[in-house]
Amino acid sequence: KHNMQPVGYWVPTEGPPINRRTFVYLLKHSSRYDAWKNWVSFTNDREWQRVLDQPVFQRLLIGTPKSVFMTLNEYSNDVTDQIEKPGGVFELRTYTVNAGKLTALNSRFREHTARRFVRHGMKNVACWTPFDEPDSSSQLIYLLHHSDRQRADANWKAFQSDPEWQKVARASQRDGKLLAEPPRRLFLRPLEFSPDR
């Protein structure tokens, strides 16, 4: 109704209890300005306000929702894979790079990494860059799909042991390490009403 296109709705599958009580969702807007307009329209919708007035929906949150606005990377659609079977587990990963290394990391993803993920049982869903500074110049966020949680560990082990990948990784870091810290990852289960289920 308010021009927001739902991409997916998930809950984390592991971590401390508070993590597993987190609700994660992704919306698509035409632009950053349209996102602002859409949310203003949504929050002022009287029908939505009546929903919030219902006792069952009050005091659900223990804090303020966090949001990250992201731009789809220009190569993302080229590397996106079809997910044939419903279910499985999604993995949201965030990479933070050393100063000046984001272009090199995206080049490695576009030219090598995404293709090699598929070789080792992983499906590429999308790759993004945060819209706002300072993260827009230092982070890559991407979403993968695995057939199940156990296979996810096996997929990563095979990927990291791949001699061709090891060669690419070494070559891409001749002028310095790309990542400033270990990747952050979150395993997610799609909810029954999620479009990507």
Side-chain angles (χ1 to χ4, degrees), residues 72-78 106 110 127:
L72 194 68
N73 288 357
E74 43 87 17
Y75 60 85
S76 185
N77 289 333
D78 295 333
N106 276 308
R110 180 179 56 248
C127 300

Side-chain angles (χ1 to χ4, degrees), residues 13 22 24 42 48 81 86 104 115 117 147 150 162 166 193-195:
T13 60
T22 302
V24 179
F42 175 81
W48 171 243
D81 301 302
R115 221 171 32 244
F117 281 161
S147 57
Q150 290 69 36
D162 183 332
Q166 292 173 351
F193 53 86
S194 184

Side-chain angles (χ1 to χ4, degrees), residues 185-197:
R185 68 180 188 168
L186 189 64
F187 285 99
L188 302 165
R189 173 178 61 83
L191 295 173
E192 63 275 6
F193 53 86
S194 184
D196 63 350
R197 185 173 172 81

Side-chain angles (χ1 to χ4, degrees), residues 146-166:
H146 306 270
S147 57
D148 59 54
R149 180 62 182 86
Q150 290 69 36
R151 283 306 311 165
D153 288 338
N155 293 344
W156 277 111
K157 186 175 181 181
F159 173 82
Q160 291 163 350
S161 301
D162 183 332
E164 291 183 40
W165 164 247
Q166 292 173 351

Side-chain angles (χ1 to χ4, degrees), residues 8 12 19-20 34 44 54 56 58 111 121 137 163 175 188 194 196:
N19 278 20
R20 285 178 272 121
D34 284 321
N44 288 307
Q54 298 178 44
V56 68
Q58 292 178 4
E111 296 164 17
S137 57
D175 297 325
L188 302 165
S194 184
D196 63 350

